[in-house]
Amino acid sequence: MVGTARALRCVVSLLLTLFALPVVAQLGGLSLQDAETSRARAGEAPKIGAIEFGGIERVDQKAVSNQIRLRVGDRLDHAVVSADIGRIFGTGLFDDVRVGLKTDPKKPSEVIVRFQLLERPSIAKITIEGNDEQTDDEVLKVVDLRLNDLYAPAQAQQNANKIKELYVEEGFFLATVNLRIERVSGNQVNVIFAIEERAEIKVRQVEILGNVGVKDDDIKAVMRTKEGSALGFLGKDGNFKREQID
């Protein structure tokens, strides 16, 4: 659903660019309205003289060009352009995709189609904060983000949820994990998982019901869940862990 919404916003961006935002004349730009006027006069859409890509730094340009169906020599087709934008955006490699048109002074009957892309930032650093009960290595075992990977907000939030689950499994049901990023130079971000561990859940008492012929103490002796003692604060005595109940 999120990917669909982002793609729709991207298509809207294209439509605004093509239909409502004429390019300034001194830059040799051509709005789609101009292209439509030329088409009406000539009886056909302008021919595509060249296809350009801007904003690509880390991503392989072939990974982008393989997504488009526009071809040099074809007539400009709005539906094809919109579909191309959707496919490029669907790769998950870009935060924004826009399309512009400009004329070629040497070939006024043709247009140059330019895809202007904004790559997602890459991950420069992953930091764990506030973790006293779990070491950095223990937390990072459940994190599948990697340095230099492109940052994906949904994936990062999934990792925050996995860290929360790690704490729940260890009895920290009240723990919270907040995700934040810090932008750094070179279109990169530092990813920070800020943990507030809070108090562990302790088992004060275990009651056995329905046991006929077997003493409570005999049943408790084979249970993994233990009652906390008066000195339980000195160790893990009486910690509640969900896997011991399941």
Side-chain angles (χ1 to χ4, degrees):
M1 182 67 71
V2 174
T4 301
R6 290 170 65 88
L8 287 174
R9 288 198 300 272
C10 190
V11 172
V12 170
S13 175
L14 165 70
L15 294 177
L16 288 175
T17 301
L18 296 185
F19 286 102
L21 301 176
V23 183
V24 290
Q26 58 265 35
L27 295 180
L30 178 69
S31 73
L32 195 62
Q33 292 170 327
D34 295 333
E36 287 288 357
T37 301
S38 298
R39 176 182 179 179
R41 292 172 178 172
E44 58 186 358
K47 183 182 292 186
I48 299 172
I51 300 173
E52 299 178 346
F53 297 94
I56 296 178
E57 297 178 1
R58 298 182 180 86
V59 176
D60 185 352
Q61 183 167 312
K62 289 184 178 180
V64 182
S65 59
N66 288 340
Q67 300 299 320
I68 69 171
R69 301 295 178 264
L70 284 180
R71 295 291 182 267
V72 173
D74 289 351
R75 296 293 177 179
L76 183 64
D77 188 318
H78 308 163
V80 175
V81 173
S82 296
D84 285 348
I85 281 186
R87 279 189 293 271
I88 293 174
F89 204 82
T91 64
L93 300 174
F94 302 97
D95 277 337
D96 193 22
V97 182
R98 299 190 182 189
V99 174
L101 304 175
K102 61 181 180 179
T103 56
D104 184 346
K106 297 180 180 179
K107 299 178 181 180
S109 63
E110 298 181 353
V111 294
I112 298 172
V113 180
R114 181 177 178 84
F115 290 85
Q116 189 63 38
L117 313 173
L118 177 62
E119 290 182 351
R120 285 184 172 178
S122 61
I123 299 173
K125 185 179 180 180
I126 301 172
T127 302
I128 310 298
E129 296 180 349
N131 52 312
D132 295 325
E133 295 295 330
Q134 303 289 326
T135 67
D136 285 3
D137 288 342
E138 288 171 334
V139 175
L140 289 172
K141 283 181 180 179
V142 303
V143 174
D144 59 15
L145 300 180
R146 296 294 179 264
L147 299 184
N148 298 317
D149 282 356
L150 294 181
Y151 175 73
Q155 182 188 15
Q157 185 57 54
Q158 289 171 0
N159 278 266
N161 295 341
K162 289 196 291 184
I163 296 173
K164 161 72 174 177
E165 186 66 18
L166 170 67
Y167 272 88
V168 168
E169 294 295 340
E170 292 298 322
F172 292 85
F173 283 79
L174 303 178
T176 60
V177 181
N178 293 315
L179 166 70
R180 72 175 189 270
I181 62 170
E182 295 177 348
R183 293 192 174 273
V184 295
S185 60
N187 193 28
Q188 292 187 304
V189 294
N190 294 333
V191 179
I192 301 158
F193 295 103
I195 302 168
E196 187 174 353
E197 294 176 333
R198 299 182 179 176
E200 296 173 275
I201 302 297
K202 297 286 187 178
V203 178
R204 179 178 297 176
Q205 182 178 355
V206 177
E207 294 187 2
I208 309 298
L209 302 176
N211 51 312
V212 178
V214 182
K215 295 180 179 180
D216 287 1
D217 289 343
D218 292 337
I219 296 176
K220 291 179 181 180
V222 299
M223 292 177 59
R224 289 190 296 169
T225 298
K226 305 296 182 182
E227 295 174 335
S229 68
L231 299 178
F233 66 90
L234 297 177
K236 295 295 184 179
D237 188 25
N239 280 14
F240 180 79
K241 294 187 178 182
R242 188 167 61 188
E243 74 271 13
Q244 295 177 354
I245 300 297
D246 293 343

